[in-house]
Amino acid sequence: YREARAIGESIERSIAGLDAPSVIAELAAVRAAIEARIGTAETAKPALDRALVAASRAGAPELETRVWAMRLRHELFAGDPARVEELMPLAKAAAARAKRDGGELEGIAGEALRDRGNVDEARRHRERAWASKDPLRADQRAVLAMDLGAVHLLAGDLAKAEGAVRLTREPPE
């Protein structure tokens, strides 16, 4: 990843003067992912912010929504679930502009709420994430189902927890 970091920095310098906000947003998102792996939370955050601004400038709400998901995960992994809750309305606004439910965002918010001990609200977010018609990979749907099972288990509802875990084997509709 260190070589990828250097290449990303070089490309970013090369395109700094271009009026290509979608390209800048994609590159900044990749740079943020690299920093999240080999840097620190603080080195990834500026790249995420650059990606959000550029995606917004590009009028690319799907890209902006994807970057918001990265930003929310960033805050969650940095140990700040309260910040996820604060940023969620902005992320959901981007999802709405992209004509999406924000299923992935709801799942991340559910995780943040669970981390803060708000099991009921976490369950509601996870249920909205599961019900979303947004395109999700099979592994994302499986994680959502497992997370939904976990909040049901925390709430003491073993039958619903088992049902949610069984959903991991169901193909999406």
Side-chain angles (χ1 to χ4, degrees):
Y1 287 104
R2 296 197 190 296
E3 186 177 344
R5 176 194 269 166
I7 291 169
E9 289 170 351
S10 175
I11 293 170
E12 200 165 49
R13 283 190 302 275
S14 298
I15 67 170
L18 293 179
D19 185 25
S22 289
V23 173
I24 292 167
E26 290 284 3
L27 178 59
V30 169
R31 296 238 10 245
I34 292 167
E35 288 302 322
R37 288 216 178 1
I38 64 171
T40 66
E42 290 310 309
T43 61
K45 191 173 181 179
L48 287 168
D49 290 342
R50 285 193 311 276
L52 284 170
V53 170
S56 180
R57 276 193 54 231
E62 288 186 14
L63 172 58
E64 187 179 356
T65 301
R66 185 167 42 90
V67 176
W68 269 115
M70 293 174 69
R71 176 64 190 275
L72 295 178
R73 269 194 213 93
H74 168 80
E75 297 297 342
L76 189 63
F77 295 151
D80 197 352
R83 187 75 174 133
V84 172
E85 290 179 68
E86 291 172 21
L87 295 173
M88 188 64 174
L90 300 171
K92 288 287 286 187
R97 287 189 297 277
K99 309 277 191 274
R100 303 281 187 200
D101 298 332
E104 184 177 10
L105 305 171
E106 293 285 357
I108 297 165
E111 191 169 343
L113 287 158
R114 186 205 62 214
D115 287 356
R116 295 189 73 198
N118 191 338
V119 176
D120 288 337
E121 191 65 22
R123 180 186 45 77
R124 284 190 281 278
H125 278 274
R126 296 269 170 75
E127 287 172 346
R128 283 194 296 268
W130 182 258
S132 170
K133 299 299 181 196
D134 290 354
L136 295 172
R137 297 182 320 264
D139 63 311
Q140 289 174 307
R141 290 195 63 76
V143 168
L144 279 175
M146 294 296 289
D147 289 345
L148 184 56
V151 293
H152 284 308
L153 191 60
L154 286 170
D157 193 333
L158 184 58
K160 283 187 178 178
E162 288 174 352
V165 170
R166 275 195 288 281
L167 292 172
T168 62
R169 295 178 289 197
E170 288 184 11
E173 295 177 8

